[in-house]
Amino acid sequence: MRINDRNFREIYDTHFEPVCRFLNYYTRDVSVIEEVVQDVFVKLWEDRDTLDIQYIKTYIYNAARNKILNELRDVKNR
């Protein structure tokens, strides 16, 4: 799947809230969750020309899960 302006907005609108709810399993801190999800979508947009994603939902959820786990690990280590 190639990402462009039109389908990026659709992807964002479709997946932002469900991914935030999914990350609520890992932490209840809404600001951390929203920051992580925003970072995932920014990275998706920045790398849109080099990524070739078969399943966008799987990509977004895995990226968000990995990012939140890294964030929680880093906070714990501080």
Side-chain angles (χ1 to χ4, degrees):
M1 168 185 241
R2 288 290 176 189
I3 308 294
N4 59 37
D5 295 349
R6 198 176 112 241
N7 68 1
F8 179 80
R9 184 62 188 186
E10 185 178 318
I11 292 165
Y12 181 87
D13 290 343
T14 302
H15 295 290
F16 184 83
E17 285 298 322
V19 174
C20 287
R21 284 193 305 272
F22 168 70
L23 293 182
N24 199 43
Y25 172 77
Y26 296 98
T27 182
R28 300 271 190 249
D29 190 336
V30 174
S31 62
V32 170
I33 290 171
E34 289 180 349
E35 181 180 332
V36 165
V37 176
Q38 286 290 346
D39 288 347
V40 168
F41 280 103
V42 167
K43 184 76 170 151
L44 178 64
W45 179 253
E46 290 174 346
D47 295 344
R48 69 188 177 279
D49 294 330
T50 58
L51 292 174
D52 187 24
I53 301 170
Q54 295 289 330
Y55 303 102
I56 191 71
K57 182 178 178 180
T58 302
Y59 174 86
I60 292 169
Y61 277 77
N62 283 338
R65 184 195 65 230
N66 292 340
K67 186 135 182 77
I68 196 83
L69 290 174
N70 288 341
E71 183 72 25
L72 295 173
R73 181 198 62 216
D74 293 347
V75 167
K76 184 180 176 185
N77 288 337
R78 279 187 222 141

Coordinates of all heavy atoms in Angstrom, one line a residue:
M1 N 0.8 -1.2 0.0 CA 0.0 0.0 0.0 C 0.9 1.2 0.0 O 1.8 1.4 0.8 CB -0.9 0.0 1.2 CG -1.6 1.3 1.5 SD -2.6 1.3 3.0 CE -4.1 1.6 2.3
R2 N 0.6 2.1 -0.9 CA 1.3 3.4 -1.0 C 0.5 4.4 -0.2 O -0.7 4.5 -0.4 CB 1.6 3.8 -2.4 CG 2.6 3.0 -3.1 CD 3.9 3.3 -2.6 NE 4.9 2.4 -3.2 CZ 6.2 2.4 -2.7 NH1 6.6 3.1 -1.7 NH2 7.0 1.6 -3.3
I3 N 1.2 5.3 0.5 CA 0.5 6.3 1.3 C 0.6 7.6 0.5 O 1.6 8.0 0.0 CB 1.2 6.5 2.7 CG1 1.4 5.2 3.4 CG2 0.5 7.6 3.5 CD1 0.2 4.6 3.9
N4 N -0.6 8.3 0.4 CA -0.6 9.6 -0.2 C -1.5 10.5 0.7 O -2.0 10.1 1.7 CB -1.2 9.6 -1.6 CG -2.5 9.0 -1.7 OD1 -3.4 9.2 -0.9 ND2 -2.8 8.2 -2.7
D5 N -1.6 11.8 0.3 CA -2.4 12.7 1.1 C -3.8 12.3 1.5 O -4.2 12.3 2.7 CB -2.5 14.1 0.4 CG -1.2 14.8 0.2 OD1 -0.2 14.3 0.8 OD2 -1.1 15.8 -0.5
R6 N -4.5 11.8 0.5 CA -5.9 11.4 0.7 C -6.0 10.2 1.6 O -6.8 10.2 2.6 CB -6.6 11.2 -0.6 CG -8.1 11.2 -0.5 CD -8.8 11.1 -1.9 NE -9.4 9.8 -1.8 CZ -9.2 8.8 -2.6 NH1 -8.4 8.9 -3.6 NH2 -9.9 7.7 -2.5
N7 N -5.3 9.1 1.3 CA -5.5 7.9 2.1 C -4.8 8.0 3.5 O -5.2 7.4 4.4 CB -5.1 6.7 1.3 CG -3.7 6.5 1.1 OD1 -2.8 7.3 1.4 ND2 -3.3 5.4 0.4
F8 N -3.8 8.9 3.6 CA -3.2 9.1 4.9 C -4.3 9.7 5.9 O -4.4 9.2 7.0 CB -2.0 10.0 4.9 CG -1.4 10.2 6.2 CD1 -0.6 9.3 6.8 CD2 -1.7 11.4 7.0 CE1 0.0 9.5 8.1 CE2 -1.2 11.6 8.2 CZ -0.3 10.6 8.8
R9 N -5.0 10.6 5.4 CA -6.0 11.3 6.3 C -7.1 10.2 6.7 O -7.5 10.2 7.8 CB -6.7 12.4 5.6 CG -7.7 13.2 6.4 CD -7.0 13.8 7.6 NE -8.0 14.3 8.5 CZ -7.7 15.0 9.5 NH1 -6.5 15.3 9.8 NH2 -8.7 15.5 10.3
E10 N -7.4 9.4 5.7 CA -8.4 8.3 6.0 C -7.9 7.3 7.0 O -8.6 6.9 7.9 CB -8.8 7.6 4.7 CG -9.9 6.6 4.8 CD -10.2 6.0 3.5 OE1 -10.3 6.7 2.5 OE2 -10.4 4.7 3.4
I11 N -6.6 6.9 6.8 CA -6.0 6.0 7.7 C -5.9 6.6 9.2 O -6.2 5.9 10.1 CB -4.5 5.6 7.3 CG1 -4.6 4.8 6.0 CG2 -3.7 4.9 8.3 CD1 -3.3 4.7 5.2
Y12 N -5.5 7.9 9.2 CA -5.4 8.5 10.5 C -6.8 8.6 11.2 O -6.9 8.2 12.4 CB -4.9 10.0 10.3 CG -4.7 10.7 11.6 CD1 -3.5 10.6 12.3 CD2 -5.7 11.6 12.1 CE1 -3.4 11.4 13.5 CE2 -5.6 12.3 13.2 CZ -4.4 12.2 13.9 OH -4.2 12.9 15.1
D13 N -7.8 9.0 10.5 CA -9.1 9.2 11.1 C -9.7 7.8 11.5 O -10.4 7.7 12.5 CB -10.1 9.8 10.1 CG -9.8 11.3 9.8 OD1 -9.1 11.9 10.7 OD2 -10.3 11.8 8.8
T14 N -9.4 6.8 10.8 CA -9.9 5.4 11.1 C -9.2 4.8 12.3 O -9.8 4.1 13.1 CB -9.7 4.5 9.9 OG1 -10.4 5.1 8.7 CG2 -10.2 3.1 10.1
H15 N -7.9 5.0 12.4 CA -7.1 4.2 13.4 C -6.7 5.0 14.6 O -6.3 4.4 15.6 CB -5.9 3.6 12.7 CG -6.2 2.6 11.7 ND1 -6.8 1.4 11.9 CD2 -6.1 2.7 10.3 CE1 -7.0 0.7 10.8 NE2 -6.6 1.5 9.8
F16 N -6.7 6.3 14.6 CA -6.2 7.1 15.8 C -6.9 6.7 17.1 O -6.2 6.2 18.1 CB -6.3 8.6 15.6 CG -5.7 9.4 16.7 CD1 -4.4 9.6 16.7 CD2 -6.5 9.8 17.8 CE1 -3.8 10.3 17.7 CE2 -5.9 10.5 18.8 CZ -4.6 10.8 18.8
E17 N -8.2 6.8 17.2 CA -8.9 6.4 18.4 C -8.7 5.0 18.8 O -8.5 4.7 20.0 CB -10.4 6.8 18.3 CG -10.6 8.3 18.4 CD -10.1 8.9 19.8 OE1 -10.3 8.3 20.8 OE2 -9.6 10.0 19.7
P18 N -8.9 4.0 17.9 CA -8.8 2.6 18.3 C -7.4 2.3 18.8 O -7.2 1.5 19.8 CB -9.1 1.8 17.1 CG -10.0 2.7 16.3 CD -9.5 4.1 16.6
V19 N -6.4 2.9 18.2 CA -5.0 2.6 18.7 C -4.8 3.2 20.1 O -4.1 2.6 20.9 CB -3.9 3.1 17.7 CG1 -2.5 3.0 18.2 CG2 -4.1 2.4 16.4
C20 N -5.3 4.4 20.3 CA -5.3 5.0 21.7 C -5.9 4.1 22.7 O -5.4 3.9 23.8 CB -5.9 6.4 21.7 SG -4.9 7.6 20.8
R21 N -7.1 3.5 22.4 CA -7.8 2.6 23.3 C -6.9 1.4 23.5 O -6.8 0.8 24.6 CB -9.1 2.3 22.8 CG -10.2 3.4 23.0 CD -11.6 2.9 22.7 NE -11.8 2.3 21.4 CZ -12.1 2.9 20.3 NH1 -12.3 4.2 20.4 NH2 -12.3 2.3 19.2
F22 N -6.3 0.9 22.5 CA -5.4 -0.3 22.6 C -4.3 0.0 23.5 O -3.9 -0.9 24.3 CB -4.9 -0.7 21.2 CG -3.8 -1.7 21.1 CD1 -4.1 -3.0 21.5 CD2 -2.6 -1.3 20.7 CE1 -3.0 -4.0 21.4 CE2 -1.5 -2.3 20.7 CZ -1.8 -3.6 21.0
L23 N -3.6 1.1 23.4 CA -2.5 1.4 24.2 C -2.9 1.7 25.7 O -2.0 1.7 26.6 CB -1.7 2.7 23.6 CG -1.1 2.4 22.3 CD1 -0.3 3.7 21.9 CD2 -0.1 1.2 22.3
N24 N -4.2 1.9 25.9 CA -4.6 2.1 27.3 C -4.4 0.9 28.1 O -4.4 0.9 29.3 CB -6.1 2.5 27.2 CG -6.6 3.1 28.5 OD1 -5.9 4.0 29.0 ND2 -7.7 2.7 28.9
Y25 N -4.3 -0.3 27.4 CA -3.9 -1.5 28.1 C -2.6 -1.4 28.8 O -2.3 -2.0 29.9 CB -4.0 -2.7 27.1 CG -3.5 -4.0 27.7 CD1 -4.3 -4.7 28.5 CD2 -2.2 -4.4 27.4 CE1 -3.8 -5.9 29.0 CE2 -1.7 -5.6 27.9 CZ -2.6 -6.4 28.7 OH -2.1 -7.6 29.2
Y26 N -1.7 -0.7 28.2 CA -0.3 -0.6 28.7 C -0.1 0.6 29.7 O 0.7 0.4 30.6 CB 0.7 -0.4 27.5 CG 0.7 -1.6 26.6 CD1 -0.1 -1.6 25.4 CD2 1.4 -2.7 26.9 CE1 -0.1 -2.7 24.6 CE2 1.4 -3.8 26.1 CZ 0.7 -3.8 24.9 OH 0.7 -4.9 24.1
T27 N -0.8 1.6 29.6 CA -0.7 2.8 30.5 C -2.0 3.6 30.4 O -2.7 3.6 29.4 CB 0.5 3.7 30.2 OG1 0.5 4.7 31.2 CG2 0.4 4.3 28.8
R28 N -2.3 4.2 31.5 CA -3.5 5.1 31.5 C -3.2 6.5 31.3 O -4.1 7.4 31.3 CB -4.2 4.9 32.9 CG -4.7 3.5 33.2 CD -6.1 3.3 32.7 NE -6.6 2.0 33.2 CZ -6.8 0.9 32.5 NH1 -6.5 1.0 31.2 NH2 -7.2 -0.2 33.0
D29 N -1.9 6.8 31.0 CA -1.5 8.2 30.8 C -1.9 8.7 29.4 O -1.2 8.3 28.4 CB 0.0 8.3 31.0 CG 0.5 9.7 31.1 OD1 -0.1 10.6 30.5 OD2 1.6 9.9 31.7
V30 N -2.9 9.4 29.3 CA -3.5 9.8 28.0 C -2.5 10.7 27.2 O -2.3 10.5 26.0 CB -4.8 10.6 28.2 CG1 -5.3 11.2 26.9 CG2 -5.8 9.8 28.8
S31 N -1.7 11.5 27.9 CA -0.7 12.3 27.1 C 0.4 11.5 26.5 O 0.8 11.7 25.4 CB -0.1 13.4 28.1 OG 0.6 12.8 29.1
V32 N 0.8 10.4 27.2 CA 1.9 9.5 26.7 C 1.3 8.7 25.5 O 1.9 8.6 24.5 CB 2.4 8.6 27.8 CG1 3.3 7.5 27.2 CG2 3.2 9.3 28.8
I33 N 0.1 8.3 25.7 CA -0.6 7.5 24.6 C -0.7 8.3 23.4 O -0.4 7.9 22.3 CB -2.0 7.0 25.1 CG1 -1.8 5.9 26.1 CG2 -2.8 6.5 23.9 CD1 -3.1 5.5 26.8
E34 N -1.3 9.5 23.5 CA -1.5 10.4 22.3 C -0.1 10.8 21.7 O 0.0 10.8 20.4 CB -2.3 11.6 22.7 CG -3.7 11.3 23.0 CD -4.6 12.5 23.4 OE1 -4.0 13.6 23.6 OE2 -5.8 12.3 23.4
E35 N 0.9 11.0 22.5 CA 2.2 11.3 21.9 C 2.8 10.1 21.1 O 3.3 10.3 20.0 CB 3.2 11.7 23.1 CG 4.5 12.1 22.6 CD 5.5 12.4 23.7 OE1 5.0 12.9 24.8 OE2 6.7 12.2 23.5
V36 N 2.6 9.0 21.7 CA 3.1 7.8 21.0 C 2.4 7.6 19.7 O 3.0 7.3 18.6 CB 3.0 6.5 21.9 CG1 3.1 5.2 21.1 CG2 4.0 6.6 23.0
V37 N 1.1 7.7 19.7 CA 0.3 7.5 18.5 C 0.6 8.6 17.4 O 0.8 8.3 16.2 CB -1.2 7.4 18.8 CG1 -2.0 7.3 17.5 CG2 -1.5 6.3 19.7
Q38 N 0.8 9.8 17.9 CA 1.2 10.9 17.0 C 2.5 10.5 16.3 O 2.7 10.7 15.1 CB 1.3 12.2 17.7 CG -0.1 12.8 18.0 CD -0.8 13.3 16.8 OE1 -0.3 13.4 15.7 NE2 -2.1 13.5 16.9
D39 N 3.5 10.1 17.1 CA 4.8 9.7 16.6 C 4.7 8.6 15.6 O 5.5 8.7 14.6 CB 5.7 9.3 17.8 CG 6.2 10.4 18.7 OD1 6.0 11.6 18.3 OD2 6.7 10.1 19.8
V40 N 3.9 7.6 15.8 CA 3.7 6.6 14.8 C 3.2 7.1 13.5 O 3.7 6.8 12.4 CB 2.8 5.5 15.4 CG1 2.3 4.5 14.3 CG2 3.4 4.7 16.5
F41 N 2.2 8.0 13.6 CA 1.7 8.5 12.3 C 2.6 9.5 11.6 O 2.7 9.5 10.4 CB 0.3 9.2 12.6 CG -0.8 8.2 12.7 CD1 -1.4 7.8 13.9 CD2 -1.3 7.6 11.5 CE1 -2.4 6.9 13.9 CE2 -2.3 6.7 11.6 CZ -2.9 6.4 12.8
V42 N 3.4 10.2 12.4 CA 4.4 11.1 11.8 C 5.5 10.3 11.1 O 5.9 10.6 10.0 CB 5.1 12.0 12.9 CG1 6.3 12.7 12.4 CG2 4.1 13.1 13.4
K43 N 5.9 9.2 11.7 CA 6.9 8.3 11.1 C 6.3 7.7 9.9 O 7.0 7.6 8.8 CB 7.3 7.2 12.1 CG 8.4 6.3 11.7 CD 9.7 7.0 11.7 CE 10.8 5.9 11.5 NZ 12.0 6.5 10.8
L44 N 5.1 7.3 9.9 CA 4.4 6.7 8.7 C 4.4 7.7 7.6 O 4.7 7.4 6.5 CB 3.0 6.3 9.1 CG 2.1 5.7 8.0 CD1 2.7 4.4 7.5 CD2 0.7 5.5 8.5
W45 N 4.1 9.0 7.9 CA 4.1 10.0 6.9 C 5.5 10.3 6.3 O 5.7 10.4 5.1 CB 3.4 11.3 7.4 CG 3.4 12.3 6.4 CD1 4.2 13.5 6.4 CD2 2.6 12.4 5.2 NE1 3.9 14.2 5.2 CE2 2.9 13.6 4.5 CE3 1.6 11.6 4.7 CZ2 2.3 13.9 3.3 CZ3 1.0 11.9 3.5 CH2 1.3 13.1 2.8
E46 N 6.4 10.4 7.2 CA 7.8 10.7 6.8 C 8.4 9.6 5.9 O 9.1 9.9 5.0 CB 8.7 11.0 8.0 CG 8.4 12.2 8.7 CD 9.2 12.4 10.0 OE1 9.8 11.4 10.5 OE2 9.2 13.5 10.5
D47 N 8.1 8.4 6.2 CA 8.6 7.2 5.5 C 7.7 6.7 4.4 O 7.9 5.6 3.9 CB 9.0 6.1 6.5 CG 10.1 6.5 7.4 OD1 10.8 7.5 7.2 OD2 10.2 5.8 8.5
R48 N 6.7 7.4 4.0 CA 5.7 6.9 3.1 C 6.2 6.5 1.8 O 5.7 5.6 1.1 CB 4.6 8.0 2.9 CG 5.0 9.2 2.2 CD 3.9 10.3 2.2 NE 4.4 11.5 1.5 CZ 5.1 12.4 2.1 NH1 5.6 12.3 3.3 NH2 5.5 13.5 1.4
D49 N 7.3 7.2 1.3 CA 7.9 6.8 0.0 C 8.7 5.6 0.0 O 8.9 4.9 -1.0 CB 8.7 8.0 -0.5 CG 7.9 9.2 -0.8 OD1 6.7 9.1 -1.2 OD2 8.4 10.4 -0.7
T50 N 9.2 5.2 1.2 CA 10.1 4.0 1.3 C 9.4 2.8 1.8 O 9.9 1.7 1.7 CB 11.3 4.3 2.1 OG1 10.9 4.7 3.4 CG2 12.2 5.4 1.5
L51 N 8.2 3.0 2.5 CA 7.5 1.8 3.1 C 6.6 1.2 2.0 O 6.0 1.8 1.2 CB 6.6 2.3 4.2 CG 7.3 2.8 5.5 CD1 6.3 3.4 6.4 CD2 8.1 1.7 6.1
D52 N 6.6 -0.1 2.1 CA 5.6 -0.9 1.3 C 4.9 -1.8 2.3 O 5.3 -2.9 2.6 CB 6.3 -1.7 0.2 CG 5.4 -2.4 -0.7 OD1 4.2 -1.9 -0.9 OD2 5.8 -3.4 -1.3
I53 N 3.7 -1.4 2.7 CA 3.0 -2.0 3.8 C 1.9 -2.9 3.2 O 1.1 -2.4 2.4 CB 2.4 -1.0 4.8 CG1 3.6 -0.1 5.4 CG2 1.6 -1.7 5.9 CD1 3.1 1.1 6.1
Q54 N 1.9 -4.1 3.6 CA 0.8 -5.0 3.2 C -0.5 -4.8 4.0 O -1.6 -4.7 3.4 CB 1.2 -6.5 3.3 CG 2.4 -6.8 2.4 CD 2.0 -6.9 1.0 OE1 0.8 -7.2 0.6 NE2 2.9 -6.6 0.1
Y55 N -0.4 -4.7 5.3 CA -1.5 -4.6 6.2 C -1.3 -3.4 7.1 O -0.6 -3.5 8.1 CB -1.6 -5.9 7.0 CG -1.8 -7.1 6.2 CD1 -0.7 -8.0 6.0 CD2 -3.0 -7.4 5.6 CE1 -0.8 -9.1 5.2 CE2 -3.1 -8.5 4.8 CZ -2.1 -9.4 4.6 OH -2.2 -10.5 3.8
I56 N -1.9 -2.3 6.8 CA -1.7 -1.0 7.4 C -2.1 -1.1 8.9 O -1.4 -0.6 9.8 CB -2.4 0.2 6.7 CG1 -1.9 1.5 7.3 CG2 -3.9 0.0 6.8 CD1 -0.5 1.9 6.9
K57 N -3.2 -1.8 9.2 CA -3.7 -1.9 10.6 C -2.6 -2.6 11.4 O -2.3 -2.1 12.5 CB -5.0 -2.6 10.6 CG -5.6 -2.7 12.0 CD -7.0 -3.3 12.0 CE -7.5 -3.5 13.4 NZ -8.9 -4.1 13.3
T58 N -2.1 -3.7 11.0 CA -1.1 -4.5 11.7 C 0.1 -3.6 11.9 O 0.7 -3.6 13.0 CB -0.8 -5.7 10.9 OG1 -2.0 -6.5 10.7 CG2 0.3 -6.6 11.6
Y59 N 0.6 -2.9 10.9 CA 1.7 -2.1 11.0 C 1.6 -1.0 12.1 O 2.4 -0.8 12.9 CB 2.0 -1.4 9.6 CG 3.1 -0.4 9.7 CD1 4.5 -0.8 9.5 CD2 2.9 1.0 9.9 CE1 5.5 0.1 9.6 CE2 3.9 1.9 10.0 CZ 5.2 1.5 9.8 OH 6.3 2.4 9.9
I60 N 0.4 -0.3 12.0 CA 0.2 0.8 13.0 C 0.1 0.2 14.4 O 0.8 0.8 15.3 CB -1.1 1.5 12.6 CG1 -0.9 2.3 11.3 CG2 -1.5 2.5 13.8 CD1 -2.1 2.9 10.7
Y61 N -0.6 -0.9 14.6 CA -0.7 -1.4 16.0 C 0.6 -1.9 16.5 O 1.0 -1.7 17.7 CB -1.8 -2.5 16.0 CG -3.2 -2.0 16.2 CD1 -3.9 -1.5 15.1 CD2 -3.8 -2.1 17.4 CE1 -5.2 -1.0 15.2 CE2 -5.1 -1.6 17.6 CZ -5.8 -1.1 16.5 OH -7.1 -0.6 16.6
N62 N 1.4 -2.6 15.7 CA 2.7 -3.1 16.1 C 3.6 -2.0 16.4 O 4.4 -2.0 17.4 CB 3.3 -4.1 15.0 CG 2.6 -5.4 15.1 OD1 2.1 -5.8 16.0 ND2 2.7 -6.1 13.9
A63 N 3.7 -1.0 15.5 CA 4.5 0.2 15.8 C 4.2 0.9 17.1 O 5.0 1.3 17.8 CB 4.5 1.1 14.6
A64 N 2.9 1.1 17.3 CA 2.4 1.8 18.5 C 2.8 0.9 19.8 O 3.2 1.5 20.8 CB 0.9 2.0 18.4
R65 N 2.5 -0.4 19.7 CA 2.8 -1.2 20.8 C 4.3 -1.2 21.2 O 4.7 -1.0 22.3 CB 2.4 -2.7 20.6 CG 2.6 -3.6 21.8 CD 2.6 -5.0 21.5 NE 3.7 -5.4 20.6 CZ 3.5 -6.1 19.5 NH1 2.4 -6.5 19.1 NH2 4.6 -6.3 18.7
N66 N 5.2 -1.3 20.1 CA 6.6 -1.3 20.3 C 7.1 0.1 20.9 O 7.9 0.1 21.8 CB 7.3 -1.6 19.0 CG 7.1 -3.0 18.6 OD1 6.8 -3.9 19.4 ND2 7.4 -3.2 17.3
K67 N 6.5 1.1 20.4 CA 6.9 2.5 20.8 C 6.4 2.7 22.3 O 7.2 3.3 23.1 CB 6.3 3.5 19.9 CG 6.7 4.9 20.2 CD 7.1 5.6 18.9 CE 7.6 7.0 19.1 NZ 9.0 7.0 19.6
I68 N 5.2 2.3 22.7 CA 4.8 2.5 24.1 C 5.6 1.6 25.0 O 6.0 2.1 26.1 CB 3.3 2.2 24.2 CG1 2.8 2.8 25.6 CG2 2.9 0.8 24.2 CD1 2.5 4.2 25.5
L69 N 6.0 0.4 24.6 CA 6.8 -0.4 25.5 C 8.2 0.2 25.7 O 8.7 0.2 26.8 CB 6.9 -1.8 24.9 CG 5.6 -2.7 25.0 CD1 5.8 -4.0 24.3 CD2 5.2 -2.9 26.5
N70 N 8.8 0.7 24.6 CA 10.1 1.4 24.7 C 10.0 2.6 25.6 O 10.8 2.9 26.4 CB 10.6 1.8 23.3 CG 11.0 0.6 22.5 OD1 11.3 -0.4 23.1 ND2 11.1 0.8 21.2
E71 N 8.9 3.4 25.4 CA 8.7 4.6 26.2 C 8.6 4.2 27.7 O 9.2 4.9 28.6 CB 7.4 5.3 25.8 CG 7.1 6.6 26.5 CD 8.1 7.7 26.1 OE1 8.7 7.7 25.0 OE2 8.2 8.6 27.0
L72 N 7.8 3.2 28.0 CA 7.6 2.8 29.4 C 8.9 2.3 30.0 O 9.2 2.5 31.2 CB 6.5 1.8 29.5 CG 5.1 2.2 29.2 CD1 4.1 1.1 29.2 CD2 4.6 3.3 30.1
R73 N 9.7 1.5 29.2 CA 11.0 1.0 29.7 C 11.9 2.2 30.0 O 12.6 2.2 31.0 CB 11.6 0.2 28.6 CG 13.0 -0.4 29.0 CD 13.7 -0.9 27.8 NE 14.0 0.2 26.9 CZ 14.0 0.1 25.6 NH1 13.8 -1.0 25.0 NH2 14.3 1.2 24.8
D74 N 11.9 3.2 29.1 CA 12.8 4.3 29.3 C 12.4 5.1 30.5 O 13.3 5.6 31.3 CB 12.8 5.3 28.0 CG 13.4 4.6 26.8 OD1 14.1 3.5 27.0 OD2 13.2 5.1 25.7
V75 N 11.1 5.3 30.8 CA 10.7 6.0 32.0 C 11.1 5.3 33.2 O 11.6 5.8 34.2 CB 9.2 6.2 31.9 CG1 8.6 6.7 33.3 CG2 8.8 7.2 30.8
K76 N 11.0 3.9 33.2 CA 11.3 3.1 34.3 C 12.8 3.2 34.6 O 13.2 3.2 35.8 CB 10.9 1.7 34.1 CG 11.2 0.7 35.2 CD 10.8 -0.7 34.9 CE 11.1 -1.6 36.0 NZ 10.8 -3.0 35.7
N77 N 13.6 3.3 33.6 CA 15.1 3.3 33.7 C 15.6 4.7 34.2 O 16.7 4.8 34.7 CB 15.8 2.9 32.4 CG 15.7 1.5 32.2 OD1 15.5 0.7 33.1 ND2 15.8 1.1 30.9
R78 N 14.8 5.7 34.1 CA 15.2 7.1 34.5 C 15.2 7.2 36.0 O 14.9 7.0 36.9 CB 14.3 8.2 33.9 CG 14.7 8.5 32.5 CD 14.0 9.6 32.0 NE 13.6 9.3 30.6 CZ 12.5 9.6 30.0 NH1 11.6 10.3 30.7 NH2 12.3 9.3 28.8

